[in-house]
């Protein structure tokens, strides 16, 4: 196993996750009022709802599929589905929702770049996130194409082993599992890890915002005139 492979896929994931957790904690503690989506819908609603819905629907299903598919051990999912069929399911569902997400994302980028009001209120970090997401979605769709060359599910097993090894803090085992896979998968993983690392410093933080305090808020007294 090469040192670069170990650095990128055995060490970098833990660096990205550490920055993610520490960065989110510090930002929420020190700048709670910056913890928001900064939606541009109020500036111009034209085309926003459709683009936003397509993008978010695609992202939600893709993330759910990655979470379940990569973190579920073979010993568990083999009770319900074989490895080749699991890969086929991932290719079909991932390809469909990937296209849905891509269409919505391109619409959002076009709107942000062509609408003067929205563009004027766009920060550099917004553009970085949008274009990194665009690259990530395209790479994800390319993995579907690459996967057509090995329908036995062997690469999916290696990707699952990498994910589960990172989750159990086994960097060496993770790097060894990922080393033989196609470069497209590796680029997809690296861009994903980088998105995780910059997460606390962008508007992406709204993804993990749950309004739990809303249910414990004081009642508002509204008086009629």
């Amino acid at each position: 196993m090469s040192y670069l492979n170990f650095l990128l896929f055995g060490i970098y994931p833990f660096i990205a996750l550490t920055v993610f957790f520490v960065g989110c904690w510090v930002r929420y503690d020190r700048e709670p009022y910056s913890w928001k989506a900064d939606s541009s819908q109020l500036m111009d609603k034209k085309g926003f709802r459709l683009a936003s819905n397509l993008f978010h629907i695609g992202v939600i299903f893709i993330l759910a599929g990655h979470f379940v598919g990569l973190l579920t051990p073979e010993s568990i999912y083999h009770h319900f589905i074989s490895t080749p069929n699991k890969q086929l399911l991932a290719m079909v569902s991932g390809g469909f929702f990937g296209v849905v997400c891509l269409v919505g994302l391109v619409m959002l980028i076009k709107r942000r770049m062509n609408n003067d009001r929205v563009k004027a209120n766009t920060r550099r970090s917004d553009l970085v996130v949008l274009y990194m997401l665009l690259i990530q979605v395209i790479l994800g769709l390319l993995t579907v194409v690459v996967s057509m060359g090995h329908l036995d599910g062997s690469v999916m097993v290696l990707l699952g082993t990498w994910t589960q090894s990172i989750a159990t803090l086994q960097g060496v085992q993770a790097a060894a599992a990922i080393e033989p896979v196609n470069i497209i998968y590796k680029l997809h993983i690296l861009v994903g890890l980088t998105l995780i690392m910059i997460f606390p410093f962008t508007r992406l933080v709204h993804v993990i915002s749950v309004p739990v305090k809303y249910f414990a808020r004081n009642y508002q007294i509204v008086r009629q005139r």
Side-chain angles (χ1 to χ4, degrees):
M1 178 172 57
S2 69
Y3 177 76
L4 180 61
N5 183 78
F6 176 63
L7 177 64
L8 293 178
F9 301 101
I11 296 179
Y12 183 52
F14 298 112
I15 295 175
L17 289 170
T18 299
V19 173
F20 171 84
F21 287 112
V22 175
C24 286
W25 174 65
V26 171
R27 179 173 176 179
Y28 190 79
D29 183 63
R30 298 186 61 181
E31 301 177 18
Y33 293 107
S34 72
W35 195 282
K36 54 185 178 178
D38 282 335
S39 176
S40 60
Q41 183 176 4
L42 292 176
M43 298 176 191
D44 191 347
K45 295 182 179 181
K46 184 179 180 181
F48 177 81
R49 180 174 296 180
L50 176 61
S52 180
N53 286 340
L54 288 174
F55 170 70
H56 284 93
I57 289 172
V59 164
I60 290 171
F61 277 93
I62 290 172
L63 290 179
H66 278 60
F67 184 82
V68 175
L70 294 174
L71 288 175
T72 304
E74 286 184 89
S75 58
I76 294 179
Y77 70 72
H78 274 173
H79 292 289
F80 310 97
I81 190 172
S82 65
T83 300
N85 287 337
K86 177 175 176 286
Q87 174 176 323
L88 185 60
L89 176 62
M91 291 170 61
V92 173
S93 60
F96 174 77
F97 287 109
V99 170
V100 171
C101 180
L102 179 61
V103 171
L105 183 56
V106 170
M107 291 173 66
L108 288 173
I109 293 175
K110 182 179 178 180
R111 171 180 175 273
R112 186 166 290 275
M113 300 307 298
N114 294 336
N115 187 298
D116 292 336
R117 292 187 65 192
V118 177
K119 186 176 181 180
N121 287 274
T122 297
R123 294 171 297 186
R124 184 175 300 176
S125 63
D126 298 334
L127 295 178
V128 170
V129 168
L130 284 172
Y131 285 112
M132 284 191 67
L133 286 172
L134 180 63
I135 293 172
Q136 183 69 335
V137 174
I138 292 174
L139 286 172
L141 290 173
L142 287 176
T143 64
V144 175
V145 178
V146 174
S147 296
M148 295 176 66
H150 44 78
L151 296 174
D152 60 348
S154 58
V155 175
M156 297 297 103
V157 172
L158 293 176
L159 295 172
T161 300
W162 177 83
T163 307
Q164 293 163 38
S165 297
I166 293 299
T168 54
L169 307 181
Q170 301 179 71
V172 175
Q173 180 176 324
I178 206 70
E179 189 168 25
V181 305
N182 189 286
I183 185 65
I184 295 297
Y185 295 105
K186 293 181 178 180
L187 291 174
H188 188 54
I189 290 172
L190 289 176
V191 175
L193 290 172
T194 304
L195 279 168
I196 290 174
M197 188 168 65
I198 68 172
F199 185 98
F201 315 105
T202 67
R203 66 169 61 194
L204 287 175
V205 292
H206 77 279
V207 174
I208 56 175
S209 298
V210 180
V212 291
K213 293 182 179 180
Y214 175 83
F215 299 101
R217 76 195 191 287
N218 293 327
Y219 286 105
Q220 292 181 328
I221 299 176
V222 181
R223 297 173 178 168
Q224 294 183 344
R225 295 183 61 181

